Amino acid sequence: MTVRVFGTADALSRALALEIARRLAANPRLVLGLPTGRTPIPLYRELVRLRRAGRVDFSRATTFNLDEFLGLAPRDPRSYRAFMQRYLFDHVNLAPRRIQFLNGATRDVDRECRRYERAIERAGGIDLQILGLGMNGHVGFNEPARALVARTHCTALKPATRRANAALFGNRAGAVPRQALSMGMATILHARRIVLLATGATKARCVQRMIEGPVTPRLPGSFLQLHRCAEIWLDQAAAAKLELPDA
Ligand code: GLP
C-alpha cells in the first residue's frame, strides 16, 4: 500500500479533488466509487468548487456509492443518498441516470444486491474507489467480524457504528437503522485503484493497525493490503502512530 501524508485534511482534499479532475479529463467516462461520512465532506466541497470554476466535468462519469441504510428511501433526508445529493450531486453536472445507489427501501434485498453487482459489471467495473475508514476499521459497511461477505450484501450494524452515524438521525443512535446494504470487500477490491482517506487523531490507532498489522476480518480495512493499487491518504493527525510514514 502506498501511504501519503498531508499537512491537513484540507490539503489532502484539494489534492484528491484535483486528481479526480485530472482523471476525468483523461477519461470522461470514469467510474467512481464514493463514500459517505464526515471525512469526504471537504473533498466534495472542493469538487463542487472546481465544478463552479469550470475545472471539472462529470457529464459522462458514473458513480457508485458504497452503502445505504436498510429501510430508508432515497428521498429520506437521513439516507446516504440524500447526504450525497446535499454535498455533491446537487452541485455538479453528473447525469442522474449515471448516479448509482443501493436502494434502502427495496422489498427484495438479495435481488437489490445482485442488481448492484451487475450494474457495476455493466459499467465496466470501478476505476477509482474512494473510501473512508470507520472508527472500528470498517469500510463501506463491512463491519469487523469472524468472516466477511465478499459481495454486496445486507449487514447488521455494530452499536459503535450506529453511534458514529447518529448525527444523521438527530443525534439519536437508537434511531439509526440496525441494518444496511453494502458493497462487499471483494466488490471493493475489484476496483482498479483505491484511495482510502482517514483524517484526525481519532483514526490514528486504526490506521496503524490497518497498515502495519495483519490482514484480518477483525479490521476490514486491512484487506486493502492485498490490493496492488491501494493508496492510503492521511493527514498528519491520522498518520501520527505510523512507524514509517511516506511523508
Ligand atoms: C460510515 C460509512 C463508511 C464511512 C465511515 C467513516 O459508517 N458507512 O463508509 O467510511 O462511516 O465515517 P467518518 O468519515 O464520518 O469517520
Side-chain angles (χ1 to χ4, degrees), residues 103-123:
N103 178 9
T106 182
R107 281 160 186 266
D108 187 337
V109 165
D110 291 342
R111 198 161 155 213
E112 175 60 6
C113 293
R114 283 197 303 273
R115 177 195 71 79
Y116 211 56
E117 289 283 337
R118 271 201 310 274
I120 294 172
E121 245 172 65
R122 267 206 304 273

Side-chain angles (χ1 to χ4, degrees), residues 225-247:
Q225 293 181 33
L226 304 177
H227 195 277
R228 66 166 71 224
C229 209
E231 296 169 31
I232 313 298
W233 288 32
L234 307 170
D235 67 355
Q236 267 165 4
K241 290 195 193 298
L242 290 179
E243 266 181 30
L244 292 168
D246 286 354

Side-chain angles (χ1 to χ4, degrees), residues 174-218:
V176 179
R178 290 176 185 279
Q179 288 178 298
L181 304 177
S182 176
M183 285 187 199
M185 278 318 298
T187 320
I188 291 167
L189 290 170
H190 271 79
R192 289 180 192 89
R193 181 177 169 210
I194 298 176
V195 175
L196 180 142
L197 313 176
T199 55
T202 54
K203 299 280 171 77
R205 174 83 185 111
C206 191
V207 163
Q208 182 204 24
R209 286 175 58 215
M210 173 178 69
I211 295 173
E212 295 175 355
V215 176
T216 165
R218 295 287 175 203

Side-chain angles (χ1 to χ4, degrees), residues 41 44-54 56-58 82-95 99:
I41 290 176
Y44 296 151
R45 198 169 46 222
E46 271 307 303
L47 286 172
V48 170
R49 205 181 58 76
L50 291 179
R51 176 63 212 145
R52 288 190 177 138
V56 64
D57 180 10
F58 290 93
F83 173 101
M84 290 303 299
Q85 291 295 145
R86 207 153 52 233
Y87 287 104
L88 186 70
F89 298 158
D90 283 347
H91 315 288
V92 297
N93 62 334
L94 275 160
I99 294 175

